[in-house]
Amino acid sequence: MKYFLRKTLILVLTVFLISVFTFIAFHIIPGDPAGLILGTNATEEQLEALREQLGTNRPLSEQYSSWISGFVKGDFGSSIRYRMPVSALLKGRLPVTLALGLISLAIILLLGIPLGILAARMRGTWVEKVIHFLTILGISVPNFFLCILLMWIFGMVLHFFTPGEYISYTKNLPGFFRSLFWPAISIAIPQTAILTKYIRTAMLEELGEDYVRTARGKGAGETWILYLHVLKNAIVAVVPLIGMIVASVLSGSIIIEQVYGIPGMGKLLIGAVTSRDFPLTQTLVIYITVLIVITNFLVDIAIQLIDPRIRLSGKS
Amino acid sequence: MKKKILAMLITAVMAVSLAACGGGEGSGTESDSFIYGMAGEITDFDPFSSGGTANSRYITFNIFEGLVKVSTDGTVKPAVAQNVDVNEDATVYTFTLRDGVKFHNGSEVTMDDVLYSVQKAVDAGLAGYNEIASFEAADEKTLVVTLNKTDAGFLDYFTQAVIPADSDDNGEMLLAPIGTGPYMFGEYEVAQQVTLKKFDEYWGEGGSIDEIVVKFLSDQNAQLTSFQSGAIDGFGGYGEMGEQINEENATITQTLSNMSQVLALNNAVEPFDDVRVRQAVALAVDSHDVLDTINYGIGQVVGSPVPPALTKYYMPELEDQYAKDNDAALELLKDAGYPDGFSFTVRVPSNYPVHVHCAEKIVSQLAEVGIDMKIEQVDWGTWLEKVYKGRDYEATLISVDGATISPTAFLARYVSDSKSNFMNFKSDVYDEAYAEALSATDEASQVEAFKAVQQILADECPGVFIEDIGSLTVYTKQFEGYNSYPLTAMDFTAVHKAE
């Protein structure tokens, strides 16, 4: 119980600090939302009238306090750029980003864990060398470049999919998942590579432990040792990594949504920052923060379930 | 065992990717819709926000109409008004409303709607509307507008939208526009796309495509990818994209973007406060080379902010007033006290790759005369705030468009005390000549006066007017038809299925 209280407190504190950082960042970067809406032909009177209407002529500290007092009551305010409530904008986008993230995570786990095991089992053979080469490649190639490469090879040349086409989940659910598959692959590849590398290293470390020798001495089969003992212990070493992977998947989706034209939270966030839309940026940043903090919280619980020796206490 | 795992893995990967590509086909072009890909997005449809941004004009051009509307040759033609009478000294404009013009909501346009719309434009402080002394209905079909002073070009301002009376008291037009145009608003998906539907009760000859979808894409790369993959049927872009399109499966229309790209120099900072330095920079920049190498020759070299589309006012003789001449440039630099050149920073908006690429070209041209130009890319919000409004810069590269097709839309900003004079250009001679041009009573003398204004501007050289960047409109082979206008507009009524 004490543990949950402490965790919740940390969540609230993190969210608050992040919102203050966003606020400070907005203070530093130049840019006038009204000017961005009206463009270069606007007169000073029109700009002033629009600022009054949008409330952006108030000091930023006042905008922040009115945003945060609304936020704690569940009111996220109104988007300056899109002139509609932030909650209405989020409604259609949260499921898109969550679906994209979950598909990516599934791909990462389904590919990363077996590949890592395979590399450990086949150590010293050409299989390990190939996997090693692919992981290095996956880690080093930047996300956005990978996107373009995938679009070109699988979209333009092989016609597996239509780059630039997005199908809404409200119109066609299977089509929606299809249009998210390749973006999810783009997000997943670097993370899969990292996970594969970790699993392999953890497995090899465990294989050198005394208990493995003991098990062998007792006549246990190699497969039995690998899956019952070694994998279990290796997974414990790797689970904390999942928290980091989820953070990378979310930040990766910001770029990938932009490149593939997917209307999720990431694409909205870029639009919000470039148009200096303070309430929208704040709310999106908070959403992403909460998602990451909660994931790490779940990871903590998962570790304890896998290995009961680790006790959940408030201390780290 | 080894092989089993490997085989299982491969099968799993293949199964997933096959499942993913199953629906690749069949989602492309429907027979009665046209999908247009736009770089950037629009965020509202407000017809009263200073003419809006270029992007929103692309779409609203099809939804709204004024008493008159722009035609392809740059003149205005009757729209909601059937007839316009102008008195001798161009101070009283009398409009007769057309019978049977309907709004998209089905109601007929009445005098109340027209009066409401004019009042909205006056209240919004739109360009030109401060010249109106009074406007009133003489009868149910006749609107009389009286101006404070003579203005032979005033009709241009009446392209402003007519909307239903009382329909925009609380800004309803922002997200659900109602006009009289050939296409009506269908659906708006924020940051994603806008759908327009053919308006069957349009008074004139409407479009032939039932449904127009305008997709918002992040940039020109996304436009190219989406076009090549078949996700969109057409798009508009800059000349520099021309080389990347396979002409075998595309119809390309080349036009001009109707705005002059300018290397704007801040006339208030050293060394650009010296006209000789500005002229030296102009001589060192080779506009023809920029046009040929960056935009593959698609576009036109200019020497004035007034684009070639304004045929009456355009002065071709200014194009080569500062033809590339390094010796003359060096001579001027020596006179001005910079025999060894100098260095400065050009702030370029990063959201316009075409300007960034041109800046890169100009760096090498200026280096030939010892001028060291550094490029600093800033995002659009920063550019508007710091450069355009704050005038905190040494040089920048930009194309400035005009809200209307009047020469004043392009020349007014160079008047010394103009609020949009972001180059800090100061010239008494120019101010006088400009005021004189405004007060000309007949068209011939007005044209002459505006040409004199442009000549002064070219001599005083506030910046380097480089080119009217060519724009491309690209369709798949299934579609054709494009109307070019002297201002930013996309006329979807021109689009039709290819034979």
Side-chain angles (χ1 to χ4, degrees):
Chain A
M1 194 57 214
K2 209 172 147 198
Y3 170 79
F4 284 98
L5 267 177
R6 202 179 277 250
K7 275 283 169 190
T8 316
L9 202 69
I10 288 174
L11 174 72
V12 172
L13 203 68
T14 313
V15 166
F16 176 70
L17 281 177
I18 292 284
S19 81
V20 171
F21 287 146
T22 317
F23 162 70
I24 293 172
F26 258 75
H27 226 63
I28 295 168
I29 52 172
D32 170 20
L36 278 158
I37 290 171
L38 293 180
T40 50
N41 285 316
T43 64
E44 194 49 49
E45 291 76 36
Q46 291 171 337
L47 285 171
E48 202 39 62
L50 184 61
R51 280 186 208 120
E52 178 68 38
Q53 191 194 329
L54 298 172
T56 54
N57 53 354
R58 299 171 297 162
L60 197 59
S61 53
E62 203 182 305
Q63 293 180 46
Y64 176 75
S65 60
S66 84
W67 174 82
I68 198 144
S69 60
F71 185 81
V72 291
K73 289 182 220 133
D75 173 14
F76 304 153
S78 264
S79 159
I80 291 169
R81 180 169 173 80
Y82 298 108
R83 324 269 187 106
M84 50 174 78
V86 169
S87 49
L89 284 169
L90 283 178
K91 216 175 82 190
R93 284 177 169 70
L94 194 62
V96 176
T97 299
L98 283 182
L100 182 61
L102 286 176
I103 299 172
S104 311
L105 200 61
I107 296 171
I108 294 167
L109 296 178
L110 288 178
L111 282 181
I113 295 175
L115 279 176
I117 297 171
L118 193 65
R121 273 195 63 138
M122 303 281 178
R123 57 190 180 280
T125 68
W126 63 271
V127 177
E128 193 208 3
K129 288 200 181 73
V130 169
I131 294 176
H132 183 67
F133 172 75
L134 289 177
T135 50
I136 296 293
L137 200 70
I139 293 168
S140 354
V141 176
N143 234 337
F144 60 90
F145 180 69
L146 195 69
C147 269
I148 295 165
L149 212 63
L150 288 177
M151 275 189 179
W152 181 61
I153 297 174
F154 294 101
M156 304 300 204
V157 180
L158 297 174
H159 296 290
F160 281 8
F161 73 112
T162 313
E165 187 184 56
Y166 164 78
I167 300 162
S168 168
Y169 60 92
T170 53
K171 289 181 183 148
N172 179 350
L173 201 60
F176 169 67
F177 284 112
R178 267 203 309 276
S179 58
L180 289 188
F181 177 76
W182 289 95
I185 287 274
S186 314
I187 298 172
I189 286 180
Q191 304 306 321
T192 307
I194 292 171
L195 184 63
T196 304
K197 211 165 144 51
Y198 262 81
I199 293 267
R200 176 189 162 274
T201 314
M203 293 275 286
L204 288 181
E205 255 170 37
E206 293 295 327
L207 279 172
E209 291 289 325
D210 288 345
Y211 72 88
V212 174
R213 201 184 51 214
T214 312
R216 282 204 187 109
K218 286 166 85 176
E222 196 65 16
T223 311
W224 179 265
I225 294 172
L226 206 64
Y227 291 103
L228 199 79
H229 299 290
V230 177
L231 183 62
K232 200 177 130 195
N233 287 319
I235 293 270
V236 174
V238 166
V239 166
L241 187 72
I242 305 289
M244 278 160 63
I245 287 180
V246 168
S248 305
V249 164
L250 281 172
S251 63
S253 73
I254 293 176
I255 300 165
I256 269 64
E257 283 177 11
Q258 186 76 4
V259 176
Y260 281 93
I262 296 166
M265 300 212 301
K267 190 159 181 266
L268 196 62
L269 180 61
I270 290 185
V273 173
T274 50
S275 59
R276 309 292 187 265
D277 191 336
F278 182 65
L280 184 56
T281 310
Q282 276 284 19
T283 310
L284 285 170
V285 168
I286 298 300
Y287 253 89
I288 293 172
T289 311
V290 170
L291 279 177
I292 290 173
V293 174
I294 288 181
T295 314
N296 280 300
F297 182 43
L298 293 177
V299 163
D300 280 356
I301 294 173
I303 293 174
Q304 197 222 9
L305 289 179
I306 296 169
D307 189 348
R309 283 172 303 176
I310 299 170
R311 283 275 130 243
L312 290 183
S313 73
K315 298 169 200 110
S316 53
Chain B
M1 188 65 205
K2 287 180 205 170
K3 278 189 189 134
K4 238 189 212 165
I5 295 178
L6 206 65
M8 267 165 61
L9 263 177
I10 293 170
T11 325
V13 172
M14 299 247 299
V16 181
S17 55
L18 276 176
C21 65
E25 319 285 313
S27 45
T29 319
E30 303 255 316
S31 60
D32 53 352
S33 81
F34 176 75
I35 306 174
Y36 185 83
M38 167 190 276
E41 61 174 359
I42 79 162
T43 54
D44 67 64
F45 304 86
D46 188 0
F48 300 106
S49 67
S50 70
T53 55
N55 272 351
S56 61
R57 257 176 282 155
Y58 251 78
I59 294 172
T60 54
F61 183 82
N62 300 279
I63 301 176
F64 296 116
E65 282 177 328
L67 291 168
V68 293
K69 69 193 285 186
V70 181
S71 60
T72 47
D73 62 1
T75 59
V76 293
K77 59 182 180 189
V80 175
Q82 186 165 18
N83 186 41
V84 192
D85 276 321
V86 186
N87 72 342
E88 202 136 292
D89 61 349
T91 51
V92 181
Y93 287 72
T94 310
F95 298 89
T96 313
L97 298 196
R98 190 185 294 276
D99 286 320
V101 178
K102 282 193 171 168
F103 285 116
H104 299 151
N105 63 9
S107 66
E108 201 154 314
V109 178
T110 64
M111 183 53 76
D112 283 346
D113 303 319
V114 175
L115 292 173
Y116 175 77
S117 305
V118 176
Q119 187 59 50
K120 283 289 285 190
V122 171
D123 293 344
L126 294 189
Y129 281 78
N130 56 344
E131 290 177 30
I132 296 179
S134 71
F135 64 94
E136 57 193 353
D139 59 55
E140 271 183 22
K141 287 281 167 193
T142 315
L143 175 75
V144 181
V145 179
T146 313
L147 305 185
N148 290 322
K149 56 179 185 173
T150 292
D151 186 346
F154 195 78
L155 217 44
D156 291 350
Y157 301 123
F158 273 95
T159 51
Q160 183 60 42
V162 173
I163 59 167
D166 307 319
S167 65
D168 195 35
D169 292 346
N170 300 306
E172 292 91 335
M173 287 290 142
L174 273 178
L175 299 176
I178 300 169
T180 60
Y183 278 95
M184 54 195 255
F185 172 77
E187 196 188 355
Y188 168 50
E189 291 170 52
V190 178
Q192 213 39 35
Q193 60 184 40
V194 172
T195 309
L196 301 178
K197 298 244 184 283
K198 191 168 125 187
F199 181 41
D200 290 326
E201 293 177 88
Y202 182 58
W203 60 268
E205 200 182 318
S208 71
I209 310 280
D210 288 340
E211 186 185 73
I212 304 283
V213 179
V214 181
K215 274 195 167 194
F216 308 142
L217 304 173
S218 54
D219 53 26
Q220 58 186 45
N221 293 327
Q223 283 181 304
L224 282 168
T225 320
S226 301
F227 182 75
Q228 279 156 358
S229 72
I232 57 175
D233 299 315
F235 70 95
Y238 289 116
E240 64 167 358
M241 295 159 78
E243 288 289 293
Q244 299 174 58
I245 301 157
N246 182 356
E247 288 183 44
E248 271 171 32
N249 40 34
T251 310
I252 304 176
T253 315
Q254 286 183 20
T255 48
L256 293 176
S257 56
N258 302 317
M259 40 190 175
S260 295
Q261 184 190 37
V262 58
L263 174 63
L265 306 170
N266 189 340
N267 289 218
V269 304
E270 252 189 292
F272 300 126
D273 51 353
D274 187 331
V275 66
R276 289 170 297 184
V277 175
R278 302 198 297 264
Q279 288 169 337
V281 172
L283 286 164
V285 170
D286 186 345
S287 304
H288 291 279
D289 190 27
V290 172
L291 175 62
D292 291 341
T293 53
I294 304 298
N295 289 311
Y296 304 103
I298 303 169
Q300 186 176 338
V301 165
V302 297
S304 158
V306 175
L310 275 67
T311 41
K312 274 186 292 189
Y313 302 95
Y314 183 69
M315 298 171 74
E317 59 269 35
L318 297 181
E319 285 166 18
D320 284 312
Q321 175 153 348
Y322 297 100
K324 173 84 172 170
D325 188 340
N326 285 347
D327 295 334
L330 286 166
E331 196 63 34
L332 279 167
L333 284 175
K334 211 167 91 188
D335 286 354
Y338 297 97
D340 303 320
F342 57 92
S343 72
F344 70 98
T345 303
V346 62
R347 282 196 163 149
V348 192
S350 58
N351 56 326
Y352 289 108
V354 67
H355 295 316
V356 177
H357 298 152
C358 287
E360 284 158 0
K361 185 75 203 172
I362 292 170
V363 166
S364 62
Q365 294 175 346
L366 292 181
E368 292 168 21
V369 295
I371 300 175
D372 171 29
M373 181 171 93
K374 290 183 192 66
I375 298 174
E376 184 197 350
Q377 292 193 39
V378 292
D379 89 316
W380 184 237
T382 308
W383 189 89
L384 277 176
E385 176 87 1
K386 283 261 184 195
V387 177
Y388 190 75
K389 209 175 124 235
R391 302 184 191 179
D392 172 18
Y393 72 104
E394 290 179 302
T396 186
L397 199 65
I398 192 73
S399 289
V400 193
D401 65 335
T404 64
I405 49 167
S406 155
T408 56
F410 298 92
L411 294 168
R413 72 171 69 250
Y414 298 94
V415 173
S416 300
D417 60 357
S418 161
K419 284 205 172 95
S420 49
N421 184 353
F422 72 104
M423 297 186 214
N424 285 315
F425 178 65
K426 249 187 169 41
S427 161
D428 296 339
V429 193
Y430 183 88
D431 296 351
E432 270 168 43
Y434 185 80
E436 208 168 291
L438 283 186
S439 60
T441 48
D442 68 287
E443 205 186 323
S445 60
Q446 191 169 42
V447 169
E448 274 322 300
F450 274 121
K451 284 193 172 178
V453 168
Q454 291 180 69
Q455 186 62 56
I456 295 168
L457 196 63
D459 296 341
E460 295 280 325
C461 196
V464 189
F465 299 103
I466 301 170
E467 55 178 336
D468 186 338
I469 298 171
S471 61
L472 300 176
T473 304
V474 184
Y475 296 160
T476 58
K477 286 284 184 201
Q478 285 105 299
F479 293 95
E480 56 188 24
Y482 176 73
N483 282 348
S484 168
Y485 288 89
L487 47 74
T488 325
M490 177 69 202
D491 183 355
F492 288 117
T493 61
V495 183
H496 56 87
K497 301 222 78 174
E499 297 301 314

